[in-house]
Amino acid sequence: MKTTHRFTHLVAAGAIALAYALAAPVHAQNDKMTPIAAPAQPDAIVLGTGALPGAKAHESWHTQYGSTFARNVTVATLTPFLPDPAKATGAAVIVAPGGGFKTLSMNNEGWDVAKALADKGVAAFVLKYRLNQTPQEMDAFEREMQKMFSGAARPGRPPTDNPAVTLAPQIADARAAFALVRARAATWHVDPDRIGMLGFSAGAMLTMATALHGQDAKPAFIGDIYGPLAPVAVPADAPPLFVALAADDPLFGNGGFGLVDSWRAAKRPVEFHLFEQGGHGFGMYPKTTTSTGWFDAFARWLGMHGYLKPAH
């Protein structure tokens, strides 16, 4: 169908640059990629979806924009951030960072988001999903990205019209994340029926693909933060949707709001925040723009739907 093809085209042909264009002018002085050792992740749980087929490059980490990034992720993990039991609501969120399916913005769109959710009493789980391979050497990776943004490298034709195939490894990782949280729901004091998903840019694309093609994942609610807003076919039982985007987003600010229109036409709950400024990739960065308020708005939205207090 036409809308599915448009979604897939964004995944396969445009995902290379989706969240890699991190518009964070506040941190422009730190825009150089600096390799670092992989940080300790003692709480990370291997999801068991296997190694990325055909992967040769090994997982590596770097800093940029004052934040921490992972790339060449070949084995998916899930890291819990659990609230104080005294304030736990039983709700939970799978957090999917962005990075154009080439990197993951682990601080700005992962750990920092999860900590903020846990502070609200919501259990959060950062999904480090498998990524498309990039050159192992940092210099070669930087040259690849510079070439891409110069326009010298153009994405080819989408290999399939089916997002379930295009993002199969990542959807499998998301499904495994939901399955793990539900399997350990009693231990983590989570209600298996109150688990949602929140994604940023490429992570927002994965969140939408999980909601539409994730079979048993069935998120109770979803958040799409500066992801593409192309229209989709909305199932009758689609979960409540929260959307936040900056009007000056260089990737999606001028693409229309078809996703929001689709949800409304299907008479499913949707909330949409269009910020005047913020660029792309604002995440949890402290900025002078009102886009910084997206998290507070999201938390109020969770509260409106009853997720900031225990279910009766």
Side-chain angles (χ1 to χ4, degrees), residues 171-189:
I171 294 174
D173 296 341
R175 290 179 62 193
F178 275 92
L180 177 63
V181 175
R182 289 185 175 123
R184 300 193 185 183
T187 300
W188 286 333
H189 304 290

Side-chain angles (χ1 to χ4, degrees), residues 93 117 120 122 221 242 297-309:
V93 178
L117 286 166
K120 297 288 186 182
V122 177
F221 55 88
F242 179 94
F298 179 66
R300 287 193 298 272
W301 181 77
L302 289 178
M304 182 178 71
H305 283 277
Y307 291 112
L308 295 188
K309 58 184 179 181

Side-chain angles (χ1 to χ4, degrees), residues 174-206:
R175 290 179 62 193
F178 275 92
L180 177 63
V181 175
R182 289 185 175 123
R184 300 193 185 183
T187 300
W188 286 333
H189 304 290
V190 166
D191 184 335
D193 295 324
R194 303 174 78 210
I195 307 170
M197 188 169 182
L198 173 66
F200 300 80
S201 197
M205 295 176 68
L206 175 55

Side-chain angles (χ1 to χ4, degrees), residues 250-293:
L251 298 180
F252 306 124
N254 296 309
F257 313 120
L259 178 66
V260 176
D261 294 337
S262 297
W263 238 257
R264 294 188 67 195
K267 301 188 184 307
R268 299 304 298 152
V270 57
E271 180 159 328
F272 178 34
H273 293 257
L274 180 66
F275 298 102
E276 178 186 340
Q277 298 176 35
H280 189 78
F282 46 82
M284 299 298 282
Y285 286 130
K287 301 181 73 172
T288 58
T289 59
T290 55
S291 60
T292 298

